[in-house]
Amino acid sequence: MKAKIYLEGGGDSKELHSRCREGFRKLLESTGYRGRMPQLVACGSRDSTYHDFLTAHANSNADYIAMLVDSEDPVRDPEKTWDHLQERDGWERPDGGDDGQVLFMTTCMETWIASDPDTLRRHYGGCFRESALLPLKNIERRERREIQESLKDATRGCSNAYQKGQRSFEVLGALNPAALEDRLAAFRRMKRIMDERL
C-alpha cells in the first residue's frame, strides 16, 4: 500500500515544511498509524496544497492520495467535502476523485489544538490560561479567527506563546488523539477514512 497525504502548512520555508511533516507524523503515529504511515508532503499554502494534490492525483501511482486542509469555514455536510470546496473556493473535483480524498481540519488546525486543553496545560505549564479558550461544544462551528485568537489569549503570558509555524507544529505533535476523536467530527472522519484506506 502506497499512500500520500498532501498537507496544508509550513509556509515557504524548508525548515517549516520539515516541522509541519514532523508534527503531523507524530500525531498520526500516536493515532495508530505507526508502521502503515502515508508519505506526508508539506505544501505551504492552501492553494499550493490543492494544486500539488491535483498533480499527484493525475500522475502518481499511489494507492491512496489525499489532501489535509483547513475547511476555513464551518462545513454544512462533512461527508461532502468537494461540495464545500467547490462552493467556497471554486475548486473542482478532479476526474475520478472522491470525497474521501479530502480530509478537513474544521475550521482550522487550531481547532484541533484548542480541543485538547489537557495537553496545552502540560505543554505551557502555569502560564496557560485555560479560561481564555472557547467552549468545546460545537467548536467546529466557530470561525477560525475566534479559535486562533483564543489560543493566543490563553498563552499570552507564556514565553513560548502560541503562534503559527514552529510552535504550532510542536503542540500539534503532542496532542492526544483520543481527546480529538471524542470532540471533533472532522478528526473522527479522517480516522475512519484512513482506517479504511491505509
Side-chain angles (χ1 to χ4, degrees):
M1 165 64 71
K2 184 175 177 186
K4 285 187 178 182
I5 296 181
Y6 291 79
L7 306 168
E8 175 182 356
D12 297 325
S13 141
K14 282 186 180 177
E15 183 192 350
L16 275 182
H17 280 208
S18 172
R19 291 181 183 275
C20 174
R21 287 191 303 272
E22 179 76 0
F24 280 102
R25 181 188 61 74
K26 286 181 176 176
L27 177 60
L28 292 178
E29 284 184 349
S30 61
T31 303
Y33 299 106
R34 188 185 305 273
R36 54 180 175 140
M37 280 289 291
Q39 180 183 348
L40 301 176
V41 182
C43 301
S45 74
R46 194 163 177 273
D47 281 345
S48 295
T49 307
Y50 172 60
H51 291 292
D52 288 351
F53 164 81
L54 289 181
T55 299
H57 178 80
N59 301 310
S60 173
N61 62 357
D63 301 293
Y64 175 57
I65 295 170
M67 62 177 172
L68 177 57
V69 294
D70 293 345
S71 68
E72 299 286 311
D73 294 326
V75 179
R76 190 174 306 131
D77 183 341
E79 299 300 331
K80 296 184 176 175
T81 51
W82 282 109
D83 286 356
H84 177 82
L85 294 175
Q86 206 287 326
E87 184 178 320
R88 187 192 180 281
D89 304 285
W91 292 0
E92 297 291 338
R93 179 204 312 245
D95 289 345
D98 65 65
D99 286 311
Q101 291 178 286
V102 179
L103 308 172
F104 277 147
M105 295 174 278
T106 307
T107 53
C108 57
M109 187 179 84
E110 282 76 10
T111 310
W112 290 12
I113 293 171
S115 296
D116 187 1
D118 290 343
T119 294
L120 289 171
R121 200 178 308 113
R122 280 194 299 276
H123 183 81
Y124 287 103
C127 62
F128 176 60
R129 290 178 50 244
E130 187 171 341
S131 61
L133 292 179
L134 296 171
L136 293 173
K137 186 174 181 183
N138 295 325
I139 194 168
E140 291 179 300
R141 306 302 304 169
R142 298 279 191 161
E143 296 296 326
R144 63 187 185 282
R145 185 168 305 172
E146 278 185 287
I147 297 168
Q148 291 163 349
E149 287 304 315
S150 77
L151 265 178
K152 286 180 186 173
D153 286 347
T155 61
R156 193 174 303 281
C158 304
S159 59
N160 57 342
Y162 182 82
Q163 60 181 232
K164 292 181 88 63
Q166 177 180 340
R167 291 180 186 170
S168 62
F169 297 128
E170 252 179 55
V171 180
L172 180 77
L175 295 177
N176 175 5
L180 304 190
E181 191 172 357
D182 183 51
R183 295 164 185 158
L184 301 174
F187 192 86
R188 285 194 296 277
R189 177 181 180 271
M190 180 189 77
K191 187 171 183 299
R192 187 194 77 225
I193 291 170
M194 289 180 65
D195 284 346
E196 291 168 359
R197 301 206 182 190
L198 295 184

